[in-house]
Amino acid sequence: MARFRNKKRKPFVKHIVKKQPTVDHVTGDKIPRSFVFARGKLPGPLRRLQMDLRKLMNPYTALKLKEKKRNSLKDFVTLAQDMRVTHFLILSKTDSAPYLRVAKTMQGPTLTFKVHEYSLATDIAQSQLRPRCPPDLFKTPPLIVLSGFGTGEEHLKLTTLIFQNIFPAIDINTVKLSSCQRIVLLNYNKETKLIDFRHYSIRLQPVGVSRRIRKFVQNHQVPNLRSLQDVSDFVTKAGYGSESEPDDEAATVNLSSDIGRVNRASTKSAVKLQEIGPRMTLQLVKIEEGLCTGRVIFSEFGNTSAKKLGNEEEDEQESEEEMDTDGQENAAEEEQEIEDEEEQEIEEELEED
């Protein structure tokens, strides 16, 4: 007897994963990609800082990169070749302080920064009255702004070049204003030789429009007018029209295209920056010629401190190798104990027989 086909059977649908482009279709330049990972064991706050840095480097980074204790730097280099990764951001912790290394794959150079202070994105949000971090904020890469690096020193020129190439370049004539959602600011202090690392979100507000009117246009919510005699009182009543913040002329721009429902082309809008984190205070201590190895091009504290820092990093690698070997030895001992127990059980069974 023939079998009837079940009409309720759902067809198989193959999900197509959209691949990210490797070359910018406007500028034609290669899009930089990054890995953010750790070397050695990190405490909880530094682990959260690592996740904040991955979120900052979106969308051209491995947000869910998994690390294991047995992974070496060569493993990440091999994976970077397959995924066309151009930069490494490596966090580590010593007895003295945490360090951040920014390396160019595959041949270097490597910049080593000492992290004096840092604040997580959650800490920044808790300190603000109205934190702003919409989910669409990280769909486009941030802009990069460097301040105070033009002193003419060679190590600062190299630092500027590395940070400029870690994010995609933009063309001022063809860039879409709607894609400029975030900005990363690095400010170098000549006196203290420290670098202030900040991460902001960019938002535009039309000049001369009160906050209530902006919210009404953006959210499509009908305001409560029961206490008012006329609709015009919503705008003209004292307290309503004075809610707009004072706009500085230096922070206003004329838009060339529409952005959202409020900011229209050929109108003045005020540029507002709101910090979203993470925040770091960095100090450049060493520059190596290769990828975490090679000749030391620059050292902030001289050769002795560079050797000391190198010895600390070697101690970290040795401790990682010792942990791996200890784990292998323990596993071998456990296997040997299990085999001995099985042999004893077999001998006892034979004796009973």
Side-chain angles (χ1 to χ4, degrees):
M1 185 175 179
R3 298 178 64 182
F4 292 96
R5 186 176 180 180
N6 188 7
K7 294 182 180 181
K8 294 182 180 179
R9 185 179 178 182
K10 294 182 180 180
F12 174 74
V13 180
K14 185 178 180 180
H15 296 281
I16 300 174
V17 180
K18 187 178 179 182
K19 294 184 178 180
Q20 290 183 341
T22 57
V23 179
D24 194 339
H25 68 282
V26 177
T27 60
D29 298 333
K30 184 180 178 182
I31 296 177
R33 300 173 183 273
S34 61
F35 276 171
V36 182
F37 58 94
R39 300 300 297 149
K41 189 176 181 180
L42 293 182
L46 280 178
R47 281 290 179 185
R48 292 192 288 272
L49 177 63
Q50 175 186 344
M51 297 307 298
D52 288 344
L53 287 176
R54 288 184 181 181
K55 197 173 181 181
L56 182 146
M57 300 300 293
N58 261 345
Y60 301 113
T61 189
L63 188 62
K64 298 181 180 179
L65 180 66
K66 294 183 179 180
E67 310 167 43
K68 295 182 180 179
K69 291 182 179 179
R70 62 174 179 266
N71 290 138
S72 62
L73 186 61
K74 293 181 180 179
D75 298 333
F76 292 102
V77 172
T78 304
L79 185 61
Q81 291 177 349
D82 298 334
M83 300 185 66
R84 300 180 181 179
V85 173
T86 58
H87 292 83
F88 284 167
L89 276 75
I90 308 171
L91 276 171
S92 61
K93 177 72 170 66
T94 63
D95 296 334
S96 58
Y99 288 88
L100 173 66
R101 282 177 286 181
V102 181
K104 176 75 172 64
T105 59
M106 300 294 170
Q107 299 177 352
T110 303
L111 280 64
T112 302
F113 297 93
K114 182 179 180 180
V115 182
H116 285 266
E117 297 175 350
Y118 66 92
S119 298
L120 304 176
T122 54
D123 300 331
I124 301 296
Q126 289 174 0
S127 64
Q128 296 175 348
L129 183 62
R130 294 187 183 92
R132 177 182 180 271
C133 190
D136 296 340
L137 200 64
F138 299 94
K139 289 185 177 181
T140 55
L143 308 177
I144 180 75
V145 175
L146 303 174
S147 175
F149 287 86
T151 59
E153 300 180 49
E154 293 298 327
H155 65 281
L156 292 181
K157 288 182 180 179
L158 185 57
T159 305
T160 302
L161 187 63
I162 291 294
F163 277 108
Q164 282 179 344
N165 294 328
I166 205 171
F167 296 110
I170 61 170
D171 188 355
I172 300 176
N173 299 320
T174 58
V175 66
K176 294 182 179 180
L177 296 180
S178 59
S179 64
C180 301
Q181 297 286 330
R182 295 180 293 139
I183 183 171
V184 173
L185 174 63
L186 278 80
N187 181 40
Y188 178 73
N189 192 332
K190 298 179 183 178
E191 298 179 356
T192 61
K193 296 183 179 181
L194 297 179
I195 300 174
D196 295 324
F197 186 99
R198 301 290 185 269
H199 184 209
Y200 298 95
S201 66
I202 304 173
R203 58 192 178 97
L204 297 175
Q205 292 182 358
V207 176
V209 180
S210 65
R211 180 171 172 267
R212 288 183 178 269
I213 297 298
R214 289 198 308 269
K215 290 182 67 177
F216 171 66
V217 176
Q218 290 174 348
N219 300 334
H220 302 279
Q221 294 180 356
V222 179
N224 187 3
L225 304 176
R226 284 184 294 178
S227 61
L228 305 178
Q229 297 296 329
D230 190 64
V231 178
S232 60
D233 294 341
F234 180 73
V235 180
T236 59
K237 188 177 179 180
Y240 287 104
S242 61
E243 287 185 1
S244 60
E245 300 176 0
D247 298 316
D248 188 5
E249 288 294 331
T252 58
V253 293
N254 292 321
L255 300 180
S256 59
S257 61
D258 296 342
I259 301 179
R261 296 179 56 85
V262 180
N263 300 282
R264 296 294 180 178
S266 303
T267 59
K268 277 191 175 183
S269 295
V271 181
K272 306 290 183 179
L273 298 181
Q274 185 169 355
E275 189 173 4
I276 55 178
R279 177 194 301 179
M280 292 184 292
T281 302
L282 307 174
Q283 182 184 13
L284 180 63
V285 294
K286 187 174 67 169
I287 299 179
E288 295 171 291
E289 192 174 17
L291 181 60
C292 300
T293 55
R295 182 174 62 90
V296 177
I297 302 175
F298 167 78
S299 178
E300 177 65 30
F301 304 109
N303 295 328
T304 56
S305 298
K307 290 179 180 178
K308 183 180 178 182
L309 181 61
N311 292 332
E312 289 180 353
E313 294 174 355
E314 289 176 358
D315 293 339
E316 286 181 7
Q317 295 177 358
E318 289 177 358
S319 62
E320 292 176 9
E321 292 175 356
E322 288 176 359
M323 290 172 62
D324 295 340
T325 53
D326 292 340
Q328 293 174 0
E329 291 176 356
N330 293 332
E333 290 176 359
E334 291 177 358
E335 291 178 357
Q336 187 64 33
E337 289 177 359
I338 293 171
E339 290 178 358
D340 294 339
E341 290 176 359
E342 291 178 352
E343 290 178 357
Q344 290 179 1
E345 292 177 356
I346 293 170
E347 290 177 357
E348 290 176 357
E349 290 177 358
L350 293 173
E351 290 176 357
E352 291 177 357
D353 294 339

